Amino acid sequence: MRSIDVAKAALKMAISSREEEDLLKHKYREKGIKAVAVDFGGDFNASIKKILERAAVAAKREGVVEDTHVGEGAIVGVTREALSQIAPRAFGLSVGGKIGIARHSEHLSVAIFFEIGLLNLNDVAIGLAHRSLPTETSKI
């Protein structure tokens, strides 16, 4: 399993409907990929902290990362990187969308699907990032 495969899983989770989420999670689990998705919305500037928190809570709850300083730091870092790709387009505007998170072995990916709105003018964007995170068995 390569990092690109894990990134694709995160992206598919981010663009899935609620009905598709459970099917995808089951399909990925059979392949050894832990995956989760969570919704978000609001003013972009005010939502940054909420997006980071939602990603961390969901990833820990579903066992994608461990509930440790290292696990939480990895998920927050990779989510911040994905957000930074969207920030110039979303700054000061309303956003809504979904965070897709996937992990296999040392590969951790986050994809964030955004709808960026101003009045009736909506745009869409995706931020995608990857981190390496040691597995439990390879810890020092």
Side-chain angles (χ1 to χ4, degrees):
M1 182 82 49
R2 300 175 308 154
S3 60
I4 194 167
D5 301 314
V6 179
K8 286 178 184 179
L11 184 56
K12 287 180 183 176
M13 291 297 291
I15 63 173
S16 69
S17 67
R18 285 193 182 259
E19 295 79 27
E20 295 169 322
E21 262 182 55
D22 288 331
L23 296 172
L24 286 171
K25 281 171 60 173
H26 185 314
K27 172 186 161 186
Y28 291 138
R29 193 157 302 269
E30 289 176 350
K31 294 181 178 184
I33 298 172
K34 294 179 181 179
V36 65
V38 63
D39 297 320
F40 66 90
D43 173 72
F44 179 75
N45 303 355
S47 295
I48 293 172
K49 182 179 176 186
K50 290 178 188 175
I51 291 168
L52 296 172
E53 288 172 350
R54 285 180 183 248
V57 168
K60 290 188 294 185
R61 181 188 66 232
E62 295 292 324
V64 176
V65 298
E66 294 177 28
D67 189 4
T68 64
H69 179 73
V70 173
E72 192 170 304
I75 192 67
V76 168
V78 71
T79 304
R80 282 181 58 98
E81 174 60 29
L83 281 170
S84 74
Q85 297 169 12
I86 305 301
R89 294 175 68 182
F91 187 78
L93 301 174
S94 294
V95 297
K98 194 178 219 181
I99 307 162
I101 304 167
R103 180 174 182 191
H104 181 273
S105 186
E106 295 181 342
H107 301 294
L108 174 65
S109 287
V110 169
I112 308 179
F113 180 70
F114 282 85
E115 182 175 27
I116 304 167
L118 174 65
L119 302 173
N120 292 327
L121 306 170
N122 290 327
D123 196 1
V124 294
I126 295 174
L128 177 64
H130 171 269
R131 289 285 188 278
S132 294
L133 181 64
T135 60
E136 281 186 288
T137 56
S138 67
K139 285 184 186 174
I140 297 174

